[in-house]
Amino acid sequence: MAPQPVIRSRQMEKAINGIPTQVVCTEFSNYIFIVLTQYGKIGTLVSITPDTRSGDISVPMFTTRVLLGKDEPLTHVYAKNVTTFVSQESGNRPVLLGLSLKDNSAETMKTVKDMIKGCQVW
Amino acid sequence: METVENGDSSTQAPVQGISVHDFSEKIMEQLVHFHVMKLSGGFFLWIGSGPVLSNLAVAIASKHDSMPLSTLVLGDTSDTTASSLAQRLTKKTKKQVFVSYNLPMTNSNLALLVEDRIKKEMELHPDQF
């Protein structure tokens, strides 16, 4: 019998407005890795890191950085929007997001967030 | 009649979908885990003994050079293990390859054996990469 994998991952596929959309969430001890794609690729790679400021109980701040791919303002907004809850729910772990969508509309984003929730590994 | 096995996404055949494949091997007294995510035109490969992601390299084939282009997008850039492994795997497969290497870097023998193990798995399960 093969040993149990040390990495846990969950995935989901769903058609949003007729476009097949895939979400794969993978848990690491220091990162949550999420692939969100309508191309089957990692695409633009973004890191979303919570800022640690001791004694601050106001709205948490996040730093987004495009590690690979086109660095557009929308990418930062999108990445923050779909992953901040993941970071908060996973004990403030940073998130690594592979993002490649054909449809960047707000309605699609809602569905996509629900898909990520459905692939909870944290 | 179509048969689909349950519980293991890697045995299903989704249309161009992402599939995940795990395997492990005891190499030099150490249990090494491998986690492969097959993507369209490439794959993501994580290697480690514990569930940490400490670096990430990516390599793509170059039109102008027989040696693929490789870069580290996350982690300590002084360590070239991940990026050179990604580069060699791209050379072998002609695909875009992401590699995260999370084993002690001081041991180059281990890295060689790990690479051999990956190549063996690629021969055994070419559909998973």
Side-chain angles (χ1 to χ4, degrees), chain B residues 8 10-11 19 21-23 36 38 95 117-129:
Chain B
D8 186 359
S10 63
T11 54
S19 64
H21 177 57
D22 289 283
F23 58 101
V36 189
K38 183 187 180 169
K95 290 177 178 175
R117 183 62 185 87
I118 295 161
K119 286 175 178 164
K120 184 181 148 201
E121 193 73 12
M122 286 175 152
E123 280 163 25
L124 290 170
H125 302 285
D127 53 315
Q128 301 288 0
F129 289 85

Side-chain angles (χ1 to χ4, degrees), chain B residues 28-79:
Chain B
M28 292 176 81
E29 305 286 304
Q30 193 171 2
L31 187 58
V32 180
H33 299 274
F34 301 83
H35 179 83
V36 189
M37 198 188 292
K38 183 187 180 169
L39 306 155
S40 165
F43 60 89
F44 167 93
L45 168 66
W46 173 92
I47 305 147
S49 49
V52 65
L53 183 90
S54 52
N55 55 54
L56 185 62
V58 61
I60 49 162
S62 163
K63 279 177 190 165
H64 312 289
D65 196 337
S66 67
M67 212 49 203
L69 300 162
S70 179
T71 187
L72 197 78
V73 293
L74 190 79
D76 180 2
T77 46
S78 67
D79 184 359

Side-chain angles (χ1 to χ4, degrees), chain A residues 3-7 9 11 13 22 24 26-31 33 35 37 39-42 45 67-68 96, chain B residues 9 14 16-20 22 24 31 33 35 37 39-40 44 46 49 51-54 56 58 73-74 98:
Chain A
Q4 279 288 101
V6 285
I7 299 302
S9 79
Q11 67 183 96
E13 181 165 349
Q22 286 185 291
V24 186
T26 312
E27 185 193 28
F28 296 97
S29 57
N30 58 337
Y31 270 105
F33 179 37
V35 177
T37 182
Y39 291 91
K41 294 171 186 284
I42 285 180
L45 195 64
L67 304 176
L68 193 69
L96 199 60
Chain B
S9 64
Q16 272 298 307
I18 296 174
S19 64
V20 168
D22 289 283
S24 311
L31 187 58
H33 299 274
H35 179 83
M37 198 188 292
L39 306 155
S40 165
F44 167 93
W46 173 92
S49 49
V52 65
L53 183 90
S54 52
L56 185 62
V58 61
V73 293
L74 190 79
F98 289 85

Side-chain angles (χ1 to χ4, degrees), chain A:
Chain A
M1 191 66 205
Q4 279 288 101
V6 285
I7 299 302
R8 213 155 66 93
S9 79
R10 287 179 75 181
Q11 67 183 96
M12 195 186 277
E13 181 165 349
K14 193 177 181 174
I16 306 177
N17 298 324
I19 309 169
T21 311
Q22 286 185 291
V23 169
V24 186
C25 293
T26 312
E27 185 193 28
F28 296 97
S29 57
N30 58 337
Y31 270 105
I32 304 293
F33 179 37
I34 302 174
V35 177
L36 177 53
T37 182
Q38 293 178 329
Y39 291 91
K41 294 171 186 284
I42 285 180
T44 305
L45 195 64
V46 193
S47 76
I48 301 94
T49 315
D51 294 335
T52 43
R53 283 182 301 167
S54 54
D56 193 349
I57 51 158
S58 62
V59 187
M61 302 283 285
F62 290 87
T63 302
T64 47
R65 210 155 61 89
V66 173
L67 304 176
L68 193 69
K70 206 170 172 185
D71 194 342
E72 291 174 321
L74 182 68
T75 306
H76 293 263
V77 175
Y78 207 98
K80 263 186 212 176
N81 239 303
V82 298
T83 64
T84 47
F85 84 91
V86 175
S87 176
Q88 284 163 352
E89 288 179 8
S90 62
N92 289 323
R93 265 181 274 187
V95 177
L96 199 60
L97 175 70
L99 185 65
S100 53
L101 296 179
K102 296 174 184 176
D103 171 9
N104 286 299
S105 68
E107 303 89 80
T108 296
M109 188 161 71
K110 265 191 190 162
T111 314
V112 151
K113 257 172 112 161
D114 288 337
M115 286 176 78
I116 295 174
K117 279 179 194 147
C119 294
Q120 189 172 342
V121 286
W122 47 92

